[in-house]
Amino acid sequence: GMRKLALALFGGSAKPSDAELEEAGASLVNALEMMGFLSAKADRAAVQKVGRYVVGAFKAQQRGDAVDDVSATVGTELQGLVDNGEVSFPSIFTLVARAYASIDGISRSLEPDFDFAKACEPFVGKLIQQEYEQQAAKQREAWAEEVRSVFFAPRRTAYIERTVRSMQSGDIEIRSRSTKGEAALARLERRGDSV
C-alpha cells in the first residue's frame, strides 16, 4: 500500500495532465483502501475527485505553486465520506506517524537544517524506478507475445488447413466416445439378456 501511495504522489510528471491525474488519483485511492484508511464501499465518484485533488495539490506544492482551498474544491465530498464513516485511521499508522515525528524531531535538534522528507527522496525515487521497470518489463513481454503470435499465425493456419484436408480425404478419422451412450447400451444389453 505504501509503495502504491508513494508512486501515486511522487511518480509521473511535475505538471500532470488530466489523464495522469485521473490515473494517479485512482492509484492513490487503491493504496488508501489497501492500507485501511478508506472503505471499499465508499462513493467512487467522491473518492476519485478527492484522489485527483490530493495528487494535484501535492504536485502543485512540490512545484511551489499555490494550492486551491480544500474546502472549496472537495470539502463536500470529504465531509460526506467522513459522515458516512468511510474514512478511518488504522491504529498501526499512529505508530508510524509517531516514529516519523520522533525521527524528524531528533534530526532537527541535531541539525536544524535537516529535512527528513528530502532525506527520504532517494529511497522513494528507487521505489518509483522499480515500479516503472516492472511496468516496462510487463509491456515488453506483452509486446513480444504479440509479435510471436504474428509470426506463428501462418504456421498454425497451415496446420489447421492440413488437418482439415486430411479429414476430407479420409486420412484422418474423427471418433468420439459417449460414456452416457455406452452406459445406456450396457443397460439395454442387460435387459435383453434378462428377457
Side-chain angles (χ1 to χ4, degrees):
M2 289 294 282
R3 176 180 278 218
K4 229 178 192 180
L5 181 81
L7 184 65
L9 291 175
F10 292 100
S13 63
K15 286 191 173 186
S17 66
D18 288 340
E20 287 176 315
L21 274 177
E22 188 74 32
E23 184 178 338
S27 182
L28 177 84
V29 167
N30 289 338
L32 291 174
E33 283 179 5
M34 286 173 64
M35 293 187 302
F37 283 101
L38 191 61
S39 169
K41 299 177 220 165
D43 175 19
R44 296 313 288 175
V47 167
Q48 292 291 355
K49 186 174 180 182
V50 170
R52 281 191 307 272
Y53 171 80
V54 169
V55 172
F58 187 81
K59 297 282 186 183
Q61 192 173 25
Q62 280 185 318
R63 292 189 308 266
D65 296 347
V67 178
D68 295 334
D69 181 34
V70 68
S71 60
T73 311
V74 291
T76 56
E77 286 82 3
L78 277 173
Q79 189 64 46
L81 292 170
V82 170
D83 289 347
N84 293 335
E86 294 164 344
V87 176
S88 61
F89 193 81
S91 58
I92 188 71
F93 284 99
T94 305
L95 300 175
V96 172
R98 195 181 222 176
Y100 177 83
S102 296
I103 291 171
D104 191 45
I106 292 169
S107 302
R108 286 181 193 264
S109 68
L110 295 173
E111 188 175 325
D113 295 336
F114 184 77
D115 186 1
F116 187 65
K118 283 248 186 253
C120 292
E121 281 181 7
F123 303 105
V124 172
K126 191 177 276 189
L127 286 175
I128 291 170
Q129 180 182 358
Q130 288 173 352
E131 184 69 26
Y132 283 151
E133 287 172 357
Q134 289 173 355
Q135 290 174 359
K138 286 178 186 175
Q139 287 176 341
R140 281 193 303 275
E141 182 57 36
W143 182 79
E145 184 60 35
E146 289 176 11
V147 169
R148 280 193 290 272
S149 69
V150 166
F151 284 115
F152 290 119
R155 289 184 190 168
R156 291 181 186 132
T157 305
Y159 173 75
I160 292 170
E161 183 180 353
R162 281 195 309 273
T163 304
V164 169
R165 288 186 191 271
S166 295
M167 288 168 47
Q168 289 173 339
S169 67
D171 294 338
I172 296 178
E173 291 183 19
I174 305 296
R175 295 181 185 170
S176 65
R177 180 176 175 195
S178 171
T179 55
K180 289 181 181 178
E182 290 175 6
L185 184 61
R187 280 195 306 272
L188 282 174
E189 287 177 354
R190 282 195 302 263
R191 283 187 191 165
D193 290 342
S194 65
V195 174

